[in-house]
């Protein structure tokens, strides 16, 4: 993507009961960003029960997309992405309604896309120096980023950051399966789809309200662990199930050898339990390895469907008159 081809930037904000902080976040957003002829704002009202929509309208938001009920951050993010694409966005920036991120850093986020050096840019926060982040949250942020780097083969230092920019083509390729958060999954998809991804340092503002994702430390740990496991199951299924299968099979094999040596020494009758355990472990290991191959085939099929979805989106963009005539008939 070249600088001359960029026309419209849309800044999207997922919102759920954000009436108290949304005006502050919107006031900081730019209406002009270098490299773009047009900058628009879009909010996703994720079933808010307060005056979020009224505040958005008063602040001059260009587009408002609504969920009738709360569907969660991941669904709101994807609803916003699809709406931005429908509105003709060439580049999409995602930020938070609590004004966590410094809006003045948006030009830094979009600069690699304008220059053509990247298609997906993640804002890297100074996590270790953020005072309102607890030690547990800092550790989980670091752990989550490490898992994402392993699964995606990228070097993004702050994977959970929601402050990010993406090109139109990148947005068309992303699909989020999680109902909890989109941050980790989209980076892994970028790595698997060979999307040029990078990160830039960004600043953060003071905390205006507690995090909606972190209702309690126990809940955050539980959800983080589940998210990390799902990442490996969905995006590295062969490695995940293959590792478990090899461990089980190896344990069964070692215990089986132990029984065999005892049997050859004439003491096999005293180790029948070892024989039973070895048989169970070998069977479990073999079945898990078979699951690894099946899961890998399913993963390949999912990638083909995602590629087909992207090509269909590209075709619809390039053939709007054909779609319109088909609808008329």
């Amino acid at each position: 993507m070249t600088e001359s081809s960029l026309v419209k930037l849309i800044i999207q904000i997922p919102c759920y009961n954000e009436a108290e902080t949304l005006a502050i976040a919107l006031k900081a957003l730019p209406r002009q960003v270098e490299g773009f002829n047009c900058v628009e704002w879009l909010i996703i009202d994720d079933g808010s029960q307060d005056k979020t929509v009224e505040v958005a309208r008063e602040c001059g938001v260009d587009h408002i997309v609504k969920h009738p009920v709360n569907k969660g951050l991941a669904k709101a993010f994807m609803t916003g992405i699809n709406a931005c694409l429908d509105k003709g966005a060439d580049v999409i920036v995602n930020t938070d309604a609590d004004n966590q991120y410094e809006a003045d850093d948006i030009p830094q986020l979009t600069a690699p896309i304008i220059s053509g050096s990247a298609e997906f840019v993640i804002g890297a926060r100074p996590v270790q120096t953020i005072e309102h982040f607890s030690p547990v949250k800092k550790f989980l942020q670091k752990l989550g980023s490490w898992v994402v780097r392993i699964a995606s083969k990228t070097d993004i230092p702050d994977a959970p950051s929601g402050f990010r920019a993406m090109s139109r083509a990148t947005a068309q390729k992303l699909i989020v399966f999680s109902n909890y958060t989109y941050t980790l999954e989209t980076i892994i998809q970028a790595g698997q789809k060979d999307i040029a991804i990078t990160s830039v340092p960004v600043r953060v503002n003071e905390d205006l309200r507690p995090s909606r994702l972190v209702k309690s430390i126990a809940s955050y740990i539980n959800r983080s662990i589940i998210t990390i496991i799902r990442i490996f199951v969905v995006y590295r299924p062969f490695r995940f199930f293959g590792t478990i299968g090899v461990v089980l099979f190896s344990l069964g094999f070692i215990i089986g050898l132990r029984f065999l040596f005892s049997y050859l020494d004439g003491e096999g009758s005293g180790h029948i339990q070892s024989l039973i355990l070895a048989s169970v472990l070998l069977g479990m290991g073999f079945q898990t390895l078979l699951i690894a191959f099946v899961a890998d085939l399913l993963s390949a099929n999912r990638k083909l469907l995602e590629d087909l979805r992207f090509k269909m989106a590209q075709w619809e963009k390039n053939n709007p008159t054909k779609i319109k005539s088909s609808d008329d008939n």
Side-chain angles (χ1 to χ4, degrees), residues 155-299:
D155 58 354
I156 302 302
D158 185 15
S161 171
F163 197 31
R164 47 188 60 194
M166 66 195 77
S167 67
R168 181 180 182 86
T170 296
Q172 290 174 328
K173 295 177 183 178
L174 298 180
I175 303 175
V176 177
F177 297 97
S178 172
N179 291 324
Y180 180 54
T181 182
Y182 59 88
T183 54
L184 309 184
E185 201 168 337
T186 49
I187 294 175
I188 293 171
Q189 287 187 24
Q192 290 199 332
K193 298 175 188 295
D194 295 324
I195 295 171
I197 184 170
T198 189
S199 67
V200 296
V202 295
R203 296 164 292 174
V204 295
N205 298 311
E206 62 182 55
D207 194 23
L208 295 181
R209 62 158 175 78
S211 172
R212 296 278 171 79
L213 287 179
V214 188
K215 296 180 179 179
S216 68
I217 294 299
S219 172
Y220 186 69
I221 292 174
N222 182 52
R223 285 182 175 272
S224 296
I225 291 173
I226 292 174
T227 299
I228 289 170
I229 292 174
R230 286 195 67 215
I231 284 172
F232 277 105
V233 171
V234 174
Y235 296 102
R236 288 289 183 267
F238 189 83
R239 176 181 293 185
F240 181 82
F241 290 108
T243 300
I244 295 175
V246 167
V247 170
L248 292 174
F249 194 88
S250 299
L251 288 173
F253 185 76
I254 292 171
I255 295 173
L257 282 179
R258 177 176 176 273
F259 171 80
L260 181 61
F261 289 144
S262 299
Y263 178 80
L264 294 176
D265 287 341
E267 299 178 1
S269 59
H271 297 277
I272 297 300
Q273 297 90 339
S274 296
L275 178 61
I276 295 173
L277 180 59
S279 300
V280 171
L281 290 173
L282 287 170
M284 291 174 61
F286 181 72
Q287 290 179 342
T288 306
L289 287 172
L290 288 179
I291 291 174
F293 283 100
V294 173
D296 193 53
L297 290 174
L298 292 174
S299 178

